[in-house]
Amino acid sequence: MKVLTYKDVTKIQTRQIKAMGTTIDLLLPNGTSEEIFALMEKRIRDYEKRYSANDPSSELGEVNRNAGKNSVQVNKELYDLIKLGKKHSLEKGSHLNIAIGPLVQTWRIGFKDAKVPDEKEIKEVMALTDVTQIKLDDLTHSVFLLQKGMKIDLGSLAKGYIADLLVAELKALQVPLGLINLGGNILTFGESVHEDHLWRIGIQDPLQSRNHLKGLIQVKNKSVVTSGIYERTLTVGQHVYHHIFDPLTGYPVETPMASLTIVSDTSVAGEIWTTRLFGAENVIETVNQVSHIECLVILKNGQEFFSKNMPRYL
């Protein structure tokens, strides 16, 4: 297998893969072997089978099927992600809740059978979203959902975690630079082919149709993750429901926020913080107190707010 170096790279080639309900783009140096592209596609298929909450035959699906019955021993990577998700779900004021699966499956926003549940349904499934009812065994890497009907949903974490795993493997294979785009979740590594060596990431204008950009973020060895109310919606009459739920009410979060973009060292950190903070109060103040992340907030009225060091990426 030929090993490329920075000086060899003058162009980038792109490979697209349909997986995880989205289009995944791999941008790697021209001359990257087909063997590496094939390996990355295999990894993506394997990870999809492991982390999918929508595939009952996935490894996560097995955990959910055994809710209230048995503990399930899982792959260490899946275990570590569930443990990480539980930790951040329990943080004070967090809008992240990995036990929100029953609520997501009741609304089904983003799927053809999406509907607005009645209050009784919402109340019933909300009783199954208590994160403390996820029992973890570090020794055996086993997961036990204590209540029947519980479901873990890692949709707010898995893509970032997978991106980090893919980049780690690419670096181990001595690929010198690249960009992975998992349906809008972007992770870069190494220096781009631009003269300033920065990767340019377009930020969707949440108030416009797809591919209308609000601006560009320029980064190197960083992840850029955006959550927005425009991504997946359900329209019923005059009301538009988005897919980002308030774990306290069971309804889409009510917020003046239209999108939240996080720049971070790892992609899973970007996923965690866009979910923890979407719709929360004092977002800028919170981000300014957390190391290694910056943010851009766009409101429904078009106003923009930045964390203290975000302008360096704009």
Side-chain angles (χ1 to χ4, degrees), residues 85-228:
K86 179 180 178 180
K87 173 184 180 295
H88 284 276
S89 296
L90 291 172
E91 292 290 343
K92 183 179 179 181
S94 175
H95 283 208
L96 171 63
N97 182 343
I98 63 166
I100 207 169
L103 183 68
V104 173
Q105 293 300 322
T106 298
W107 281 83
R108 302 282 294 169
I109 293 178
F111 297 91
K112 292 181 180 180
D113 57 346
K115 65 180 176 67
V116 180
D118 60 37
E119 290 189 20
K120 181 182 178 183
E121 285 180 282
I122 292 176
K123 186 176 181 180
E124 288 174 352
V125 297
M126 286 294 287
L128 299 171
T129 62
D130 182 356
V131 179
T132 65
Q133 297 296 294
I134 301 174
K135 183 180 179 181
L136 302 176
D137 187 325
D138 289 349
L139 188 62
T140 62
H141 298 148
S142 296
V143 183
F144 187 19
L145 308 184
L146 298 180
Q147 290 180 269
K148 185 178 180 180
M150 288 184 69
K151 294 180 187 294
I152 292 175
D153 189 318
L154 298 174
S156 58
L157 298 178
K159 287 180 182 177
Y161 192 63
I162 289 167
D164 290 333
L165 292 174
L166 293 174
V167 165
E169 187 160 11
L170 287 167
K171 288 180 177 179
L173 291 169
Q174 299 183 51
V175 177
L177 59 92
L179 179 151
I180 297 179
N181 178 2
L182 278 82
N185 180 317
I186 295 169
L187 180 60
T188 70
F189 68 100
E191 299 178 348
S192 79
V193 296
H194 298 294
E195 288 187 6
D196 58 8
H197 305 305
L198 299 176
W199 297 91
R200 288 154 174 76
I201 313 300
I203 298 300
Q204 170 70 32
D205 185 336
L207 308 179
Q208 300 291 330
S209 58
R210 179 65 68 184
N211 296 324
H212 282 78
L213 300 183
K214 190 73 171 178
L216 293 175
I217 289 179
Q218 302 180 91
V219 295
K220 180 171 66 175
N221 295 316
K222 295 287 184 180
S223 174
V224 179
V225 177
T226 299
S227 287

